[in-house]
Amino acid sequence: MIIMEHALPREMMPLWRRIGLLIPPRFRKEPRDAGKRPDLGIAQVEVTTRCNHRCTMCPGTFYRGTLRKDLDFPVFERLSGFLPRVSLVYLQGWGEPLLHPRLFDMVALAREKGCRTGFTTNGSLLDENTVREAVRLQVKYITVSLAGADAATHNRIRRGSDFHQLLADVARLVEVKKEAGREDPQIHLSYMLSRESVTALPRMVSLARELGVDRLVAPNLDCPITPEDEKDRVFDWGEPDPAHRAAIEEAQALARTLKLELSVHPLQLTDDVLVCELNPLTQFFVNVDGEVSPCVYTSIVGRKEYDRYFRGEPVPTQALTFGSLQEQDMEDIWQGEEYRRFRRFFVNRLQNHHEIVRELSVRSFPDLNEFSSRFDRTLAENPFPPVCRQCYKAYGA
């Protein structure tokens, strides 16, 4: 999550905001191309595009004609040779990962390569056997998605889901973990912020505490596919809605009181982000066909072309891939000329920013106006790659 102050105007941002903490700590250094493991962060792998729900904001629901398929296990085996360079293998894309019959074989293979593992699920398949297998294999993170703090809201948005059954299944997961005496899996709830859900966030905090989960995450609806999704988002460049801000502040205060870890994505975007949260310098995405992309937003449910919305307008987008594990090894793809050229956009932003900071650090009385002007100029001269410029993640969503 990008660190930011919601209320301060640009000219009043404290110096530490503009010279360092725009980049989460784990993103501040350019990764090595080789060396001791792990030098890369996250490999996100789309194990299936099939899903047993029809969530209203999901691209898979909108693009109903998209082929539903599973990732071939030999493709994952081919990727596994690269995994010693990776810290976390996250087995989830635009589908329900627990539908893949060999999901836990992938978990076991990633664990064998020294990686932590995790996945996000709609929770409908967290039966007794599945829960116990996840605990036995020491899956590091299991995130369960909810769309509302009550049955009426959740069931209407996540069509096909049963809110009360879902809560019972999460409670069972928590209990099995306790019975096993394990710290893992870390159990997270994901509660997407929308105009309807944001005001119920305090209730969601109470519910998460009652269930005994480890963390509640409140991400933004940051990949709107339809005009309705675009209107439903709660973040923008302007001042946030006072009611939305009040609800978040209430939820944060309640979480502190209840000692629940709560992570809320920002309501106010910024043009000062150097590298987005899905940092392409240390992360990559493998889609269900084995094609490698920078992130999940550049490869949507196997489509070569798709629209997403940005600032009220549809943005025709071409899927961006740099090679296929059906034909190449991941090391060759990662080191490929086109992929390296893509990553250079981010490297340039970081290097120019670091140079300004180094110059500033040796001055007894730095000119902050000069710094601000140079910072703005270096961002303009070193933009994001074209595919990222009309993506909300590039602005801190």
Side-chain angles (χ1 to χ4, degrees):
M1 187 174 97
I2 305 300
I3 299 174
M4 56 195 312
E5 285 75 51
H6 300 301
L8 292 179
R10 181 182 178 83
E11 63 273 11
M12 294 181 62
M13 291 177 186
L15 180 62
W16 57 262
R17 157 94 194 276
R18 304 207 68 201
I19 67 174
L21 290 184
L22 284 167
I23 317 170
R26 64 189 183 279
F27 297 163
R28 291 183 197 164
K29 293 183 180 179
E30 179 187 355
R32 303 181 303 277
D33 279 341
K36 296 181 181 179
R37 76 167 315 272
D39 62 316
L40 298 179
I42 301 173
Q44 184 175 354
V45 182
E46 182 175 55
V47 298
T48 186
T49 53
R50 295 188 295 133
C51 190
N52 54 350
H53 289 173
R54 303 178 310 283
C55 302
T56 58
M57 67 293 195
C58 179
T61 300
F62 181 73
Y63 293 116
R64 291 187 181 89
T66 301
L67 179 66
R68 301 296 188 245
K69 63 183 297 186
D70 294 343
L71 180 73
D72 292 334
F73 190 74
V75 173
F76 189 81
E77 288 181 306
R78 186 158 192 167
L79 173 65
S80 69
F82 189 78
L83 293 185
R85 292 187 58 182
V86 172
S87 176
L88 171 66
V89 178
Y90 208 75
L91 299 165
Q92 186 257 342
W94 300 104
E96 169 51 50
L98 287 171
L99 285 171
H100 197 294
R102 301 197 66 180
L103 176 69
F104 288 122
D105 291 333
M106 297 181 195
V107 168
L109 182 51
R111 293 274 297 146
E112 180 184 312
K113 299 297 181 178
C115 302
R116 297 171 297 148
T117 62
F119 56 85
T120 297
T121 174
N122 62 35
S124 62
L125 301 175
L126 287 173
D127 57 30
E128 184 82 19
N129 291 335
T130 298
V131 165
R132 293 196 179 279
E133 185 68 357
V135 172
R136 184 186 72 82
L137 288 173
Q138 299 180 60
V139 173
K140 183 65 179 179
Y141 304 109
I142 296 180
T143 300
V144 180
S145 299
L146 291 98
D150 58 71
T153 304
H154 173 86
N155 293 350
R156 179 174 51 77
I157 296 173
R158 294 200 174 274
R159 293 178 301 194
S161 182
D162 183 322
F163 180 75
H164 295 298
Q165 182 60 54
L166 178 59
L167 297 188
D169 291 339
V170 172
R172 175 169 51 205
L173 175 58
V174 172
E175 186 59 32
V176 170
K177 172 185 163 180
K178 286 181 180 178
E179 287 177 1
R182 298 275 179 82
E183 292 186 4
D184 295 329
Q186 296 292 298
I187 304 167
H188 299 172
L189 297 183
S190 179
Y191 180 79
M192 185 173 288
L193 296 177
S194 66
R195 292 190 176 276
E196 180 176 13
S197 69
V198 64
T199 54
L201 184 59
R203 272 189 291 157
M204 194 67 236
V205 168
S206 297
L207 182 58
R209 184 66 181 86
E210 291 173 14
L211 289 170
V213 300
D214 297 290
R215 187 183 188 200
L216 173 62
V217 183
N220 280 312
L221 204 173
D222 50 28
C223 187
I225 296 295
T226 67
E228 293 74 22
D229 292 341
E230 174 72 354
K231 293 176 183 177
D232 206 25
R233 63 180 174 85
V234 294
F235 59 88
D236 211 327
W237 276 267
E239 191 70 15
D241 185 307
H244 297 166
R245 174 182 286 171
I248 288 176
E249 291 174 350
E250 180 185 348
Q252 291 170 328
L254 180 59
R256 288 192 294 270
T257 299
L258 298 177
K259 294 182 170 53
L260 173 73
E261 186 176 350
L262 172 64
S263 176
V264 184
H265 284 217
L267 296 182
Q268 189 170 10
L269 303 183
T270 175
D271 296 321
D272 291 346
V273 175
L274 294 171
V275 181
C276 81
E277 182 185 28
L278 300 178
N279 186 4
L281 295 175
T282 64
Q283 302 182 34
F284 61 90
F285 175 66
V286 179
N287 71 18
V288 74
D289 291 316
E291 297 169 327
V292 178
S293 296
C295 75
V296 68
Y297 296 128
T298 56
S299 181
I300 292 185
V301 289
R303 298 186 64 86
K304 300 303 180 185
E305 298 179 349
Y306 51 91
D307 283 346
R308 60 185 178 189
Y309 275 76
F310 183 77
R311 306 194 83 161
E313 299 293 332
V315 179
T317 305
Q318 297 279 337
L320 180 64
T321 61
F322 293 106
S324 172
L325 290 169
Q326 303 272 13
E327 303 164 354
Q328 299 171 269
D329 291 333
M330 184 62 210
E331 183 70 35
D332 293 334
I333 297 173
W334 181 258
Q335 298 295 353
E337 182 179 348
E338 289 188 16
Y339 206 167
R340 292 172 70 91
R341 187 182 303 122
F342 175 86
R343 296 198 300 273
R344 179 56 58 181
F345 281 92
F346 300 94
V347 171
N348 288 343
R349 291 170 73 85
L350 289 174
Q351 287 180 340
N352 282 275
H353 172 263
H354 291 165
E355 183 60 35
I356 297 172
V357 173
R358 277 195 294 271
E359 288 185 27
L360 183 72
S361 66
V362 300
R363 299 185 187 181
S364 300
F365 300 99
D367 185 332
L368 300 188
N369 288 330
E370 177 193 353
F371 169 78
S372 182
S373 176
R374 289 181 61 188
F375 180 73
D376 292 339
R377 189 164 62 250
T378 197
L379 292 184
E381 293 173 351
N382 298 278
F384 283 110
V387 72
C388 303
R389 295 171 196 171
Q390 293 172 302
C391 175
Y392 287 121
K393 298 301 291 184
Y395 305 94

